[in-house]
mmCIF file of all heavy atoms in Angstrom:
data_model
loop_
_atom_site.group_PDB
_atom_site.id
_atom_site.type_symbol
_atom_site.label_atom_id
_atom_site.label_comp_id
_atom_site.label_asym_id
_atom_site.label_seq_id
_atom_site.Cartn_x
_atom_site.Cartn_y
_atom_site.Cartn_z
ATOM 1 N N MET G 328 43.045 10.029 12.734
ATOM 2 C CA MET G 328 42.027 9.442 11.850
ATOM 3 C C MET G 328 40.690 10.190 11.954
ATOM 4 O O MET G 328 39.751 9.876 11.216
ATOM 5 C CB MET G 328 41.787 7.958 12.189
ATOM 6 C CG MET G 328 43.007 7.057 12.131
ATOM 7 S SD MET G 328 44.112 7.417 10.764
ATOM 8 C CE MET G 328 43.048 7.066 9.398
ATOM 9 N N ALA G 329 40.621 11.172 12.870
ATOM 10 C CA ALA G 329 39.371 11.944 13.007
ATOM 11 C C ALA G 329 39.054 12.620 11.680
ATOM 12 O O ALA G 329 39.947 13.169 11.022
ATOM 13 C CB ALA G 329 39.526 12.984 14.120
ATOM 14 N N GLY G 330 37.788 12.549 11.269
ATOM 15 C CA GLY G 330 37.382 13.167 10.004
ATOM 16 C C GLY G 330 37.820 12.364 8.785
ATOM 17 O O GLY G 330 37.728 12.838 7.652
ATOM 18 N N LYS G 331 38.299 11.153 8.996
ATOM 19 C CA LYS G 331 38.748 10.339 7.845
ATOM 20 C C LYS G 331 37.979 9.024 7.729
ATOM 21 O O LYS G 331 37.734 8.551 6.624
ATOM 22 C CB LYS G 331 40.239 10.019 7.984
ATOM 23 C CG LYS G 331 41.129 11.249 7.959
ATOM 24 C CD LYS G 331 42.560 10.889 7.547
ATOM 25 C CE LYS G 331 43.363 12.137 7.269
ATOM 26 N NZ LYS G 331 44.252 12.520 8.346
ATOM 27 N N ILE G 332 37.630 8.427 8.884
ATOM 28 C CA ILE G 332 36.979 7.105 8.841
ATOM 29 C C ILE G 332 35.829 7.037 9.858
ATOM 30 O O ILE G 332 35.766 7.827 10.790
ATOM 31 C CB ILE G 332 37.983 5.954 9.172
ATOM 32 C CG1 ILE G 332 38.712 6.231 10.510
ATOM 33 C CG2 ILE G 332 38.967 5.725 8.045
ATOM 34 C CD1 ILE G 332 39.548 5.064 11.026
ATOM 35 N N TRP G 333 34.971 6.030 9.643
ATOM 36 C CA TRP G 333 34.023 5.638 10.679
ATOM 37 C C TRP G 333 34.511 4.334 11.279
ATOM 38 O O TRP G 333 35.123 3.506 10.585
ATOM 39 C CB TRP G 333 32.635 5.365 10.080
ATOM 40 C CG TRP G 333 31.875 6.586 9.679
ATOM 41 C CD1 TRP G 333 31.767 7.746 10.370
ATOM 42 C CD2 TRP G 333 31.088 6.749 8.491
ATOM 43 N NE1 TRP G 333 30.966 8.627 9.697
ATOM 44 C CE2 TRP G 333 30.528 8.030 8.544
ATOM 45 C CE3 TRP G 333 30.788 5.933 7.405
ATOM 46 C CZ2 TRP G 333 29.700 8.522 7.546
ATOM 47 C CZ3 TRP G 333 29.965 6.405 6.412
ATOM 48 C CH2 TRP G 333 29.423 7.695 6.474
ATOM 49 N N ARG G 334 34.200 4.136 12.548
ATOM 50 C CA ARG G 334 34.541 2.857 13.188
ATOM 51 C C ARG G 334 33.241 2.173 13.607
ATOM 52 O O ARG G 334 32.528 2.672 14.479
ATOM 53 C CB ARG G 334 35.459 3.092 14.390
ATOM 54 C CG ARG G 334 36.836 3.647 13.957
ATOM 55 C CD ARG G 334 37.785 3.794 15.114
ATOM 56 N NE ARG G 334 37.294 4.747 16.095
ATOM 57 C CZ ARG G 334 37.631 4.742 17.375
ATOM 58 N NH1 ARG G 334 38.456 3.823 17.829
ATOM 59 N NH2 ARG G 334 37.153 5.648 18.197
ATOM 60 N N ILE G 335 32.957 1.062 12.942
ATOM 61 C CA ILE G 335 31.709 0.339 13.217
ATOM 62 C C ILE G 335 32.046 -0.925 14.001
ATOM 63 O O ILE G 335 32.730 -1.831 13.506
ATOM 64 C CB ILE G 335 30.970 -0.017 11.897
ATOM 65 C CG1 ILE G 335 30.718 1.260 11.076
ATOM 66 C CG2 ILE G 335 29.674 -0.763 12.200
ATOM 67 C CD1 ILE G 335 30.065 1.031 9.721
ATOM 68 N N GLY G 336 31.577 -0.969 15.237
ATOM 69 C CA GLY G 336 31.871 -2.112 16.098
ATOM 70 C C GLY G 336 30.856 -3.228 15.911
ATOM 71 O O GLY G 336 29.651 -2.995 15.782
ATOM 72 N N LEU G 337 31.374 -4.451 15.833
ATOM 73 C CA LEU G 337 30.519 -5.655 15.868
ATOM 74 C C LEU G 337 31.135 -6.542 16.931
ATOM 75 O O LEU G 337 31.824 -7.521 16.630
ATOM 76 C CB LEU G 337 30.519 -6.344 14.500
ATOM 77 C CG LEU G 337 29.663 -5.727 13.399
ATOM 78 C CD1 LEU G 337 29.941 -6.377 12.052
ATOM 79 C CD2 LEU G 337 28.172 -5.838 13.743
ATOM 80 N N MET G 338 30.928 -6.148 18.176
ATOM 81 C CA MET G 338 31.661 -6.755 19.279
ATOM 82 C C MET G 338 30.749 -7.558 20.194
ATOM 83 O O MET G 338 29.713 -7.054 20.643
ATOM 84 C CB MET G 338 32.325 -5.662 20.123
ATOM 85 C CG MET G 338 33.352 -4.856 19.384
ATOM 86 S SD MET G 338 33.986 -3.547 20.459
ATOM 87 C CE MET G 338 35.305 -2.910 19.435
ATOM 88 N N GLY G 339 31.170 -8.780 20.488
ATOM 89 C CA GLY G 339 30.487 -9.600 21.483
ATOM 90 C C GLY G 339 29.010 -9.759 21.185
ATOM 91 O O GLY G 339 28.609 -10.137 20.079
#
Side-chain angles (χ1 to χ4, degrees):
M328 303 320 297
K331 297 202 169 101
I332 53 171
W333 286 317
R334 294 184 297 155
I335 304 177
L337 283 171
M338 297 177 173

